[in-house]
Amino acid sequence: MPNVEKVSVSMTPQHAELMRDAVNSGAYASGSEVVREAMRDWSAKWMQKREDIAKLRAMWAEGKASGPATEVDFDAALEEAREELASAPPHAR
């Protein structure tokens, strides 16, 4: 397998047993295969989490740049939102 780096991974006995079970069941050819799949899944989650954090930071910066905070009557804002939702076409809800 090209471009492979060997690393040592420690895991709980329960995780090791699950990995051995997955290999013994024939679902995976080796423990390395199990770990590679786990890393692919984790990588996708990690990238999504990083994107989400970046979006939140951008929204936070946008909010701070929009000017000073103003008081809002929450009940009035909620009622206004309900009215807008009620008057929206059915396909837009």
Side-chain angles (χ1 to χ4, degrees):
M1 187 178 281
N3 298 325
V4 173
E5 182 178 342
K6 287 190 173 195
V7 297
S8 174
V9 176
S10 297
M11 62 180 68
T12 66
Q14 294 84 0
H15 286 145
E17 180 58 33
L18 284 171
M19 184 172 64
R20 282 191 292 274
D21 184 54
V23 173
N24 292 336
S25 75
Y28 296 89
S30 68
S32 291
E33 218 177 83
V34 174
V35 172
R36 281 192 296 272
E37 181 170 323
M39 287 299 301
R40 283 190 293 272
D41 290 347
W42 174 82
S43 295
K45 288 179 188 176
W46 177 247
M47 294 305 294
Q48 183 62 55
K49 187 180 287 189
R50 287 177 56 171
E51 289 174 19
D52 292 346
I53 290 169
K55 287 177 187 175
L56 285 170
R57 285 184 174 147
M59 291 168 62
W60 179 264
E62 182 182 340
K64 285 175 51 178
S66 70
T70 57
E71 282 195 36
V72 174
D73 179 343
F74 182 76
D75 291 329
L78 187 58
E79 184 57 34
E80 181 181 335
R82 286 183 176 141
E83 289 172 6
E84 285 181 27
L85 184 60
S87 65
H91 68 277
R93 290 185 218 160

